[in-house]
Amino acid sequence: MRTIPVLLALSVALGSAPASAAPRSAKPNHRLKTGAEGKLCVDCHTEFAKELAKPVIHSPVRARDCVGCHDPHASKLPGLLAGAPNDICASCHGEVVPAGATSAHKPAVERKCTTCHDPHASETKGVLVKPTLELCGSCHKPLVERIAKVKRKHAPVQNGCASCHESHASAKAPSILKAAVPALCIGCHKTDKPIFLKQHLGYKVGAADCTTCHDPHGSDTKGMLFDRVHSPVARGMCSQCHEAAGSTNQFATKAKGAELCKTCHGPLVTKMLSKNRVHSPVLGGEDDCLKCHNPHASQQKALLERPIRDLCGSCHVDTMQREARAFSRHEPVRDGDCAACHDPHGTDGPLLLTNENIVALCKGCHDWGAHSSHPLGENFVDPRNPNLTLDCLSCHRSHGTEYKKLMPFPKQSDLCTTCHAKYRR
């Protein structure tokens, strides 16, 4: 199932403990005078009056139960807190991420309650520190900015992220959705209506994954399809690939895998398969093309299922883990543009590089070739291995390293003296 980008609304009020909340532990006895709690605090902390004037007040604050969270005498924690902030929250609200949840919001998992909630008071429901979209946008900025610009907006999104997403965790759905797709969608979109069938050209898609075609956050495309639509879909020609609408096997494709794709993309598939080295998904069997491409619509170029970095990383896990540890990262790697150097289908050179001549490939971006004096190229043998010639990868790692300038050593002299041994100290 497609993963919908996580955009959250944190609507659970801190003042409303969930059913699973653990009982608050017994409060310490500070032997305060009768009526001294809260009032005594506010008499000194007069600046707190502005908090009490806000429309949404955390219930302990409303009850003037300051010592429920603060120690009136001394503490090792900022704000004289009586315990770690999120332990204090959990003492009333329990664990907000249930065991076995299908998906969970990262701040909730990390128990960073004050990332989203103000412990005292707020202008926003749920004691949120900001209005919902603004709050979600503080982490999910690219998505919120895109939602603001799209021509066709999904109505629930305008009402806030909490229309579709849970704030802390989802027991059964990915992306902390309130329910899995399509059950979530058909809560609003009645699939038994004639107009629904007409809009889908007679195909009974009520049980299908809506997000294989539609962008749930809004798009610039009619029908709120993803912004990049496969040509047959855009022209309403579903039967070009599928059996006819209303037939007993209407979703079956007329051919399997690349055989179906070749009916339109024949020259491209032939070219891929003619290369000396072909990317394994291209040779992957019935659903080979669909391992990377969405046959209907996508947000990504070339109808990729996901951003190319995520897509490549789903198989090349070790490469991504290695890169994550790198201090210096090659710019295309940092930007997730794997295709800047690799052809995802096939090439005649090693590692599916777009140019098997490493020096020529690097020169495509780096102008050092015009002024570097270090010998490079097929005429220069690597003194460390006579089977190799010197190229950029003799000294640099193409993705990144723990050291500067993509070098495999902490000091440049350590690298240089692997060849220039007479200069070793």
Side-chain angles (χ1 to χ4, degrees):
M1 178 180 290
R2 171 182 299 279
T3 300
I4 303 173
V6 180
L7 181 61
L8 310 173
L10 307 177
S11 62
V12 176
L14 281 172
S16 303
S20 60
R24 178 194 285 271
S25 58
K27 291 194 299 183
N29 181 9
H30 295 296
R31 304 182 68 182
L32 294 174
K33 293 180 180 177
T34 302
E37 282 191 2
K39 181 180 183 307
L40 186 63
C41 303
V42 175
D43 284 347
C44 288
H45 297 278
T46 54
E47 76 282 1
F48 203 72
K50 64 181 180 182
E51 296 294 314
L52 298 175
K54 290 180 179 177
V56 182
I57 301 176
H58 193 192
S59 55
V61 177
R62 187 185 301 114
R64 306 297 192 264
D65 183 17
C66 306
V67 295
C69 300
H70 300 277
D71 188 309
H73 298 139
S75 170
K76 293 181 179 178
L77 299 169
L80 290 178
L81 286 174
N86 299 318
D87 289 342
I88 294 176
C89 301
S91 70
C92 284
H93 299 281
E95 294 297 335
V96 295
V97 179
T102 298
S103 57
H105 195 195
K106 185 178 178 182
V109 173
E110 296 177 350
R111 303 177 74 187
K112 295 181 177 177
C113 310
T114 54
T115 300
C116 302
H117 300 281
D118 189 303
H120 294 134
S122 164
E123 302 286 346
T124 308
K125 183 181 177 182
V127 209
L128 297 177
V129 296
K130 297 177 183 176
T132 304
L133 273 177
E134 184 180 349
L135 174 62
C136 298
S138 61
C139 288
H140 305 281
K141 185 177 179 180
L143 178 57
V144 171
E145 289 181 344
R146 187 172 66 80
I147 288 171
K149 294 177 182 176
V150 295
K151 296 176 182 175
R152 293 172 171 82
K153 301 179 185 297
H154 195 191
V157 177
Q158 302 309 301
N159 296 330
C161 313
S163 300
C164 298
H165 295 280
E166 299 285 1
S167 53
H168 297 132
S170 175
K172 297 182 179 179
S175 301
I176 53 174
L177 290 171
K178 290 185 171 180
V181 176
L184 180 65
C185 306
I186 62 179
C188 293
H189 300 277
K190 304 305 177 187
T191 59
D192 57 346
K193 299 290 186 183
I195 184 64
F196 186 87
L197 191 63
K198 181 179 179 181
Q199 289 170 331
H200 292 88
L201 306 173
Y203 283 87
K204 297 177 181 177
V205 298
D209 181 350
C210 313
T211 59
T212 61
C213 298
H214 299 283
D215 189 324
H217 295 119
S219 80
D220 292 329
T221 307
K222 184 180 178 182
M224 228 169 61
L225 297 172
F226 284 108
D227 288 337
R228 295 177 173 84
V229 186
H230 197 190
S231 176
V233 178
R235 290 180 287 147
M237 299 174 64
C238 307
S239 60
Q240 183 170 324
C241 299
H242 295 280
E243 299 294 340
S247 64
T248 55
N249 202 15
Q250 60 177 353
F251 294 121
T253 54
K254 293 182 174 178
K256 297 295 183 183
E259 290 302 314
L260 178 63
C261 302
K262 284 171 65 176
T263 58
C264 290
H265 304 284
L268 178 60
V269 174
T270 300
K271 182 180 178 181
M272 294 175 197
L273 298 177
S274 70
K275 299 296 182 181
N276 291 332
R277 293 174 173 83
V278 180
H279 198 192
S280 59
V282 178
L283 302 170
E286 289 187 352
D287 293 329
D288 33 18
C289 304
L290 302 187
K291 285 183 168 60
C292 299
H293 301 280
N294 187 314
H296 298 135
S298 171
Q299 285 182 350
Q300 311 300 324
K301 291 181 180 178
L303 296 178
L304 291 178
E305 276 284 359
R306 286 174 273 175
I308 190 169
R309 175 188 171 85
D310 296 344
L311 191 60
C312 298
S314 65
C315 287
H316 301 280
V317 177
D318 55 341
T319 301
M320 295 300 171
Q321 291 174 340
R322 176 69 181 82
E323 178 201 322
R325 299 195 300 270
F327 168 79
S328 59
R329 295 182 185 177
H330 198 189
E331 188 171 329
V333 175
R334 185 199 62 198
D335 296 340
D337 186 10
C338 308
C341 299
H342 302 279
D343 188 310
H345 295 130
T347 66
D348 289 329
L351 302 172
L352 298 182
L353 293 173
T354 55
N355 191 330
E356 59 184 299
N357 185 315
I358 299 296
V359 176
L361 175 63
C362 297
K363 279 184 176 178
C365 292
H366 299 278
D367 66 353
W368 53 264
H371 52 75
S372 173
S373 59
H374 196 285
L376 288 175
E378 297 179 351
N379 295 328
F380 300 95
V381 174
D382 189 330
R384 299 164 296 186
N385 186 339
N387 297 311
L388 300 176
T389 56
L390 289 173
D391 60 31
C392 308
L393 300 183
S394 301
C395 298
H396 303 281
R397 299 293 177 264
S398 55
H399 288 166
T401 72
E402 288 86 345
Y403 312 111
K404 295 179 180 179
K405 300 178 182 179
L406 310 181
M407 291 191 303
F409 292 94
K411 294 191 295 185
Q412 188 168 341
S413 57
D414 293 341
L415 170 65
C416 297
T417 53
T418 59
C419 291
H420 304 283
K422 67 180 181 179
Y423 294 112
R424 288 175 186 167
R425 295 290 185 270

